[in-house]
Amino acid sequence: MLVLHIIYFVSLLMQKKFSICPPDHRWARKNFKMRGAVIMKNNLNKARQRKIKPNWIGDNTWDILCQQWHLKNSKRKARSGK
């Protein structure tokens, strides 16, 4: 969910810098969101693996992400131990 909010925010910033012809607007928006989601997912995955907070993530958000990742890892380990 956080990733979607970040992608939406970035797309709003990009709209101010670039213009797209109306027939291609839906295609361009969909393509931008897909590519942005992949990039964001990869960046968050690297941050999670390295356990280093990127400068573009706030402290509160980083704490929440770490808690989520720890919870998911704990659940995964509990399932595999059964």
Side-chain angles (χ1 to χ4, degrees):
M1 190 66 165
L2 176 66
V3 173
L4 294 177
H5 289 295
I6 294 171
I7 292 172
Y8 177 72
F9 178 72
V10 172
S11 69
L12 289 177
L13 292 175
M14 295 299 285
Q15 284 179 355
K16 294 178 183 177
K17 293 184 180 182
F18 302 100
S19 63
I20 301 167
C21 296
D24 297 329
H25 190 263
R26 284 187 183 172
W27 172 83
R29 186 181 241 355
K30 181 181 175 185
N31 192 25
F32 177 80
K33 285 183 178 184
M34 283 190 326
R35 289 173 184 256
V38 169
I39 292 169
M40 186 64 63
K41 183 179 176 182
N42 290 340
N43 287 340
L44 285 173
N45 194 27
K46 287 178 188 176
R48 179 179 59 87
Q49 290 173 346
R50 295 176 184 164
K51 297 181 182 172
I52 299 174
K53 182 183 89 61
N55 60 356
W56 50 270
I57 295 179
D59 292 334
N60 293 337
T61 305
W62 180 251
D63 293 338
I64 293 169
L65 286 171
C66 289
Q67 289 173 1
Q68 281 295 110
W69 292 330
H70 180 70
L71 182 64
K72 287 181 181 179
N73 287 338
S74 298
K75 286 182 179 181
R76 190 178 305 128
K77 287 180 183 178
R79 270 190 254 132
S80 65
K82 290 182 180 179

